[in-house]
Amino acid sequence: MRMGIIGAGQMARALGGGWSTAGHDIRYGRRDSIRAAAEFGDVVLLAVPVPALAEVLTQADFTGKTLIDCTNAFEPDDGNMVLGEDAVAERVARLAPGARVVKAFNLCAAEVWQAEERVFEGRRLAVPLCGDDADALAQVEELVRDLKAEPVRAGGLNRARYLEAMSAFVVGLWFSGVDARAVLPPLEAAFAVPD
């Protein structure tokens, strides 16, 4: 698959490196080459700071492209993680009309994607995906599997705001030294039976 990766930070390098290893063709776009990366990719990863979104998304036409949003709108605070914006993925969709936006890869740090391990305590790492376009979701599912993780469809783009809130909660726990996985039991012990 041809992939444009917009960004030059750790997430761009970590995910791009994994996809390159899996055999995908990658073109990185930084400030002066955003349009070239967007035009190159059938799928485009948006891995830039949230304050740069408006500027970045006006530099290219994303119509018909699968646009993966892995951003989080964390704000500086007193040591906990808080969001500065409730629905970044929805704003991305408004700023890039015609793009097929999928929220994904926003829950784990770049170091997770740089590491080889994808199975923890006997369970494969899951990557929730939120989006409205079935074909775009299928493309991103393939990319998740190429990174040896398990894709999980988590609803439409309107549910991406919950992934963004979850990232603030989970990352906040990790930064305070709490194992975020310990706050939820495994599925077989969750008593997830419809009433």
Side-chain angles (χ1 to χ4, degrees), residues 2-87:
R2 289 166 48 112
M3 298 197 60
I5 296 182
I6 299 175
Q10 290 181 330
M11 281 298 282
R13 291 190 309 269
L15 291 169
W19 290 323
S20 178
T21 298
H24 296 286
D25 294 324
I26 308 294
R27 178 169 295 168
Y28 289 92
R30 292 166 180 83
R31 290 191 184 277
D32 60 345
S33 55
I34 290 169
R35 176 174 285 141
E39 289 173 355
F40 174 82
D42 301 312
V43 175
V44 178
L45 173 70
L46 187 59
V48 299
V50 170
L53 286 174
E55 176 188 345
V56 165
L57 291 171
T58 59
Q59 292 187 37
D61 181 9
F62 296 93
T63 301
K65 303 279 185 181
T66 295
L67 183 58
I68 303 171
D69 170 24
C70 73
T71 65
N72 286 312
F74 294 151
E75 282 197 349
D77 67 344
D78 62 357
N80 297 309
M81 296 303 232
V82 295
L83 291 178
E85 183 174 344
D86 292 338

